[in-house]
Amino acid sequence: MQRSYDTSLEDPASRRRRRIPATLDPGRTLLVSCFDAALPLERMGLSARGVSCAQVRSPAHLVAPWSDKIASENAPLLLSLSMRETHDVVICGHVQCAALEVLLDEERDRGAFGLMAQVPAARATMDLVRRNYGGLDRESLREVMAQENVLTQLDHLLTYPPLSRGDGPRVHAWLYDERDASLWGYSFEESQFAHQISLR
Ligand SMILES: [Zn+2]
């Protein structure tokens, strides 16, 4: 999965610096994912002996950029990071997503679209995709939206103090594609979703 544009924020490359390790410890991992993502956690290495990793779920796994002035928006994620020993944070999007469909089609559910459009973290992805990918067909747009949303929310995630420090948990960006049960890992070196694993 190649990104067509480098749409990064001012200097995320230096913050998106960590590699995907061979294995994660589910007991020390926090998963940030979407409310409707049917993720095969066991096969993803995020569940062991029937016990899943800690999870923060929301529509389109939106992450409010860090601000110590807006504690109410940042508190759930910050508390999740600080109340439990965390070695790895995985932000994982998915392709067949009800929340992203709302962003792709304003007419589909105007009420939900109106709500999401008021959330700055959702607007960031929507504006970026509209600006850069106007000519794509619907299926390609769906895939691009899912990729760009992972990377946009990743940039927001990396503004949180526990993750912006050099000695904090490792951060991983993944995308699950339900169409063929494949899991893509983002390569920080190659700036694309380069590592594919089949989870069939
Ligand atoms: Zn979803």
mmCIF file of all heavy atoms in Angstrom, residues 33-37 58-61 93-100 178, ligand 1:
data_model
loop_
_atom_site.group_PDB
_atom_site.id
_atom_site.type_symbol
_atom_site.label_atom_id
_atom_site.label_comp_id
_atom_site.label_asym_id
_atom_site.label_seq_id
_atom_site.Cartn_x
_atom_site.Cartn_y
_atom_site.Cartn_z
ATOM 1 N N SER A 33 -8.259 1.268 18.566
ATOM 2 C CA SER A 33 -8.891 0.808 17.325
ATOM 3 C C SER A 33 -10.331 1.296 17.246
ATOM 4 O O SER A 33 -10.823 1.993 18.129
ATOM 5 C CB SER A 33 -8.823 -0.715 17.221
ATOM 6 O OG SER A 33 -9.594 -1.320 18.234
ATOM 7 N N CYS A 34 -10.989 0.904 16.164
ATOM 8 C CA CYS A 34 -12.331 1.412 15.857
ATOM 9 C C CYS A 34 -13.412 0.580 16.543
ATOM 10 O O CYS A 34 -13.255 -0.625 16.738
ATOM 11 C CB CYS A 34 -12.530 1.391 14.349
ATOM 12 S SG CYS A 34 -14.074 2.156 13.830
ATOM 13 N N PHE A 35 -14.533 1.223 16.846
ATOM 14 C CA PHE A 35 -15.600 0.554 17.593
ATOM 15 C C PHE A 35 -16.175 -0.646 16.844
ATOM 16 O O PHE A 35 -16.648 -1.588 17.457
ATOM 17 C CB PHE A 35 -16.712 1.563 17.921
ATOM 18 C CG PHE A 35 -17.666 1.836 16.796
ATOM 19 C CD1 PHE A 35 -19.013 1.524 16.916
ATOM 20 C CD2 PHE A 35 -17.229 2.398 15.609
ATOM 21 C CE1 PHE A 35 -19.901 1.767 15.884
ATOM 22 C CE2 PHE A 35 -18.104 2.644 14.571
ATOM 23 C CZ PHE A 35 -19.439 2.331 14.700
ATOM 24 N N ASP A 36 -16.152 -0.629 15.508
ATOM 25 C CA ASP A 36 -16.786 -1.712 14.755
ATOM 26 C C ASP A 36 -15.776 -2.617 14.040
ATOM 27 O O ASP A 36 -16.155 -3.367 13.140
ATOM 28 C CB ASP A 36 -17.792 -1.149 13.752
ATOM 29 C CG ASP A 36 -17.122 -0.417 12.595
ATOM 30 O OD1 ASP A 36 -15.970 0.035 12.774
ATOM 31 O OD2 ASP A 36 -17.749 -0.291 11.528
ATOM 32 N N ALA A 37 -14.525 -2.557 14.438
ATOM 33 C CA ALA A 37 -13.507 -3.407 13.787
ATOM 34 C C ALA A 37 -13.542 -4.811 14.392
ATOM 35 O O ALA A 37 -13.305 -4.976 15.585
ATOM 36 C CB ALA A 37 -12.130 -2.783 13.975
ATOM 37 N N SER A 58 -13.151 3.620 19.627
ATOM 38 C CA SER A 58 -14.072 4.721 19.327
ATOM 39 C C SER A 58 -14.321 4.715 17.821
ATOM 40 O O SER A 58 -13.555 4.097 17.075
ATOM 41 C CB SER A 58 -13.455 6.059 19.756
ATOM 42 O OG SER A 58 -12.268 6.295 19.022
ATOM 43 N N PRO A 59 -15.366 5.373 17.348
ATOM 44 C CA PRO A 59 -15.588 5.432 15.902
ATOM 45 C C PRO A 59 -14.391 6.039 15.180
ATOM 46 O O PRO A 59 -13.933 7.132 15.535
ATOM 47 C CB PRO A 59 -16.830 6.338 15.770
ATOM 48 C CG PRO A 59 -17.560 6.130 17.056
ATOM 49 C CD PRO A 59 -16.475 5.993 18.099
ATOM 50 N N ALA A 60 -13.841 5.301 14.224
ATOM 51 C CA ALA A 60 -12.677 5.728 13.429
ATOM 52 C C ALA A 60 -11.429 5.956 14.293
ATOM 53 O O ALA A 60 -10.540 6.694 13.905
ATOM 54 C CB ALA A 60 -12.987 6.964 12.590
ATOM 55 N N HIS A 61 -11.384 5.332 15.475
ATOM 56 C CA HIS A 61 -10.241 5.450 16.408
ATOM 57 C C HIS A 61 -9.652 6.864 16.418
ATOM 58 O O HIS A 61 -8.443 7.066 16.286
ATOM 59 C CB HIS A 61 -9.136 4.406 16.112
ATOM 60 C CG HIS A 61 -8.610 4.412 14.697
ATOM 61 N ND1 HIS A 61 -7.660 5.302 14.272
ATOM 62 C CD2 HIS A 61 -8.904 3.633 13.630
ATOM 63 C CE1 HIS A 61 -7.389 5.071 13.002
ATOM 64 N NE2 HIS A 61 -8.142 4.068 12.587
ATOM 65 N N GLY A 93 -6.314 0.615 12.234
ATOM 66 C CA GLY A 93 -7.531 0.941 11.496
ATOM 67 C C GLY A 93 -8.022 -0.264 10.724
ATOM 68 O O GLY A 93 -7.410 -1.333 10.758
ATOM 69 N N HIS A 94 -9.146 -0.085 10.037
ATOM 70 C CA HIS A 94 -9.638 -1.168 9.181
ATOM 71 C C HIS A 94 -10.357 -0.572 7.974
ATOM 72 O O HIS A 94 -10.759 0.589 7.991
ATOM 73 C CB HIS A 94 -10.537 -2.127 9.976
ATOM 74 C CG HIS A 94 -11.821 -1.542 10.448
ATOM 75 N ND1 HIS A 94 -13.037 -2.148 10.255
ATOM 76 C CD2 HIS A 94 -12.097 -0.386 11.104
ATOM 77 C CE1 HIS A 94 -13.994 -1.406 10.793
ATOM 78 N NE2 HIS A 94 -13.455 -0.342 11.316
ATOM 79 N N VAL A 95 -10.484 -1.391 6.935
ATOM 80 C CA VAL A 95 -10.948 -0.865 5.644
ATOM 81 C C VAL A 95 -12.464 -0.771 5.577
ATOM 82 O O VAL A 95 -13.011 0.230 5.122
ATOM 83 C CB VAL A 95 -10.396 -1.734 4.492
ATOM 84 C CG1 VAL A 95 -10.977 -1.286 3.148
ATOM 85 C CG2 VAL A 95 -8.865 -1.659 4.464
ATOM 86 N N GLN A 96 -13.160 -1.793 6.034
ATOM 87 C CA GLN A 96 -14.622 -1.793 5.922
ATOM 88 C C GLN A 96 -15.225 -1.202 7.201
ATOM 89 O O GLN A 96 -15.668 -1.928 8.093
ATOM 90 C CB GLN A 96 -15.126 -3.204 5.639
ATOM 91 C CG GLN A 96 -14.654 -3.669 4.253
ATOM 92 C CD GLN A 96 -15.179 -5.026 3.849
ATOM 93 O OE1 GLN A 96 -15.380 -5.890 4.683
ATOM 94 N NE2 GLN A 96 -15.372 -5.211 2.556
ATOM 95 N N CYS A 97 -15.216 0.119 7.255
ATOM 96 C CA CYS A 97 -15.487 0.843 8.497
ATOM 97 C C CYS A 97 -16.729 1.725 8.351
ATOM 98 O O CYS A 97 -16.791 2.584 7.466
ATOM 99 C CB CYS A 97 -14.270 1.702 8.832
ATOM 100 S SG CYS A 97 -14.527 2.757 10.265
ATOM 101 N N ALA A 98 -17.694 1.527 9.215
ATOM 102 C CA ALA A 98 -18.933 2.316 9.153
ATOM 103 C C ALA A 98 -18.660 3.803 9.377
ATOM 104 O O ALA A 98 -19.275 4.663 8.748
ATOM 105 C CB ALA A 98 -19.920 1.802 10.199
ATOM 106 N N ALA A 99 -17.729 4.112 10.264
ATOM 107 C CA ALA A 99 -17.442 5.524 10.567
ATOM 108 C C ALA A 99 -16.777 6.212 9.375
ATOM 109 O O ALA A 99 -17.090 7.366 9.056
ATOM 110 C CB ALA A 99 -16.544 5.614 11.805
ATOM 111 N N LEU A 100 -15.864 5.511 8.707
ATOM 112 C CA LEU A 100 -15.206 6.126 7.552
ATOM 113 C C LEU A 100 -16.164 6.247 6.372
ATOM 114 O O LEU A 100 -16.045 7.173 5.560
ATOM 115 C CB LEU A 100 -13.956 5.326 7.159
ATOM 116 C CG LEU A 100 -12.829 5.327 8.194
ATOM 117 C CD1 LEU A 100 -11.610 4.587 7.650
ATOM 118 C CD2 LEU A 100 -12.438 6.752 8.599
ATOM 119 N N GLU A 178 -10.341 -6.373 5.883
ATOM 120 C CA GLU A 178 -11.284 -7.489 6.007
ATOM 121 C C GLU A 178 -11.468 -8.237 4.695
ATOM 122 O O GLU A 178 -11.889 -9.400 4.687
ATOM 123 C CB GLU A 178 -12.661 -6.985 6.457
ATOM 124 C CG GLU A 178 -12.698 -6.407 7.856
ATOM 125 C CD GLU A 178 -12.478 -4.902 7.889
ATOM 126 O OE1 GLU A 178 -11.916 -4.354 6.924
ATOM 127 O OE2 GLU A 178 -12.866 -4.280 8.896
HETATM 128 ZN ZN ZN B 1 -14.626 1.223 11.950
#
